Amino acid sequence: ISGAVAMPVLAETDELSINEVDFKVYENRIMHHTDEYDDEEQLILRRGQNFSVEIALSQPVKKVDVAFRFTLRKRIGGKRHTLTLINNNVPVSDSHVQTSVDLPANMHVGRYSFLVGVRTPSQHMAFFDKDDGCTVLFNPWCKEDDVYMEDQRGLKEYVMNESGGIWVGSHRRNRPMRWDFGQFDMISLETALFLIEKIPNRFRDQAALVIRHLSSALNSEDNNGVLEGNWSGDYADGRR
């Protein structure tokens, strides 16, 4: 399989195993508008949309059930959030399974560990644990997502455009200043995911609640965040 990943099988029977899994990272990232992110090896997806995979089995069978188990990663305590999606009676051609996964439009955003399993009608099973997992983001292209944006020009300007202008100054004297948003730099994504993982799992399916908690997580005074206020009048290490 082109671009396939060598498969460490976690559990299998003598009759069936999975030789390799192709997550079609390149194709799926284009379909999910995440191909601009710098790390081309990461599977970065958007909720409310499907993605395709190809599974190579150790021997030919007629059909299998394919299960995808996503477990949300977190940095704080709380109940583990797991989502299992199953495709039943998927046909097998020459020991290869071509299938797709429909991610719910209200799926929790963040990093997931990712398990793929197959089961034959005779109950033979095999599993694959994707070590680096996947990342699921909000999807402004999906009508069922909280962040849906109908205007295509707005999507290009506010989601995909990597640089623009911001207004600085007072309400009487202001001017535009060029700004590099850098949203597709991996450090930007990693920082956002770090902060998101501070949010309890139960709040990570709704955009409004995520934004509310992120606003709090940014504050370094009482939430160990990334921004620190300075009212001392001494700005020697920066700009006033």
Side-chain angles (χ1 to χ4, degrees), residues 152-220:
Q152 292 298 314
R153 290 180 299 179
L155 286 167
K156 183 178 180 180
E157 173 68 22
Y158 300 116
V159 180
M160 302 302 296
N161 195 9
E162 297 183 66
S163 63
I166 61 172
W167 287 89
V168 297
S170 66
H171 71 287
R172 293 183 178 179
R173 299 182 62 184
N174 52 68
R175 59 182 175 83
M177 182 174 67
R178 184 174 176 80
W179 196 265
D180 179 18
F181 303 129
Q183 73 270 33
F184 297 120
D185 295 340
M186 291 310 298
I187 187 63
S188 299
L189 179 61
E190 291 295 326
T191 301
L193 292 171
F194 174 82
L195 293 173
I196 284 175
E197 287 169 5
K198 292 174 174 280
I199 303 173
N201 290 345
R202 66 184 185 276
F203 298 129
R204 288 162 64 177
D205 60 337
Q206 300 177 57
L209 294 180
V210 169
I211 293 300
R212 185 177 301 170
H213 281 82
L214 280 180
S215 299
S216 176
L218 287 173
N219 183 8
S220 69

Side-chain angles (χ1 to χ4, degrees), residues 95-152:
S95 301
H96 285 71
V97 183
Q98 300 268 6
T99 189
S100 62
V101 189
D102 294 317
L103 301 179
N106 63 346
M107 190 171 179
H108 294 58
V109 295
R111 280 184 280 216
Y112 285 85
S113 56
F114 187 12
L115 181 75
V116 180
V118 296
R119 180 179 62 187
T120 68
S122 57
Q123 304 302 308
H124 295 138
M125 295 181 290
F127 301 93
F128 165 61
D129 187 6
K130 190 175 187 305
D131 291 336
D132 57 350
C134 67
T135 298
V136 177
L137 307 178
F138 290 116
N139 190 354
W141 285 268
C142 174
K143 290 183 178 180
E144 288 75 33
D145 197 310
D146 294 345
V147 301
Y148 172 64
M149 181 179 292
E150 184 176 7
D151 182 11
Q152 292 298 314

Side-chain angles (χ1 to χ4, degrees), residues 1 7-23 53-69 84-93 95-101 114-129:
I1 306 173
M7 161 124 181
V9 177
L10 299 182
E12 60 181 25
T13 67
D14 294 334
E15 293 80 5
L16 181 69
S17 64
I18 298 176
N19 291 335
E20 55 186 12
V21 178
D22 184 358
F23 289 95
V53 300
E54 182 176 348
I55 305 169
L57 302 177
S58 59
Q59 62 173 286
V61 293
K62 291 184 178 180
K63 60 183 178 180
V64 292
D65 296 336
V66 183
F68 303 88
R69 189 181 71 191
T84 302
L85 305 173
I86 301 175
N87 292 345
N88 293 313
N89 299 319
V90 181
V92 180
S93 176
S95 301
H96 285 71
V97 183
Q98 300 268 6
T99 189
S100 62
V101 189
F114 187 12
L115 181 75
V116 180
V118 296
R119 180 179 62 187
T120 68
S122 57
Q123 304 302 308
H124 295 138
M125 295 181 290
F127 301 93
F128 165 61
D129 187 6

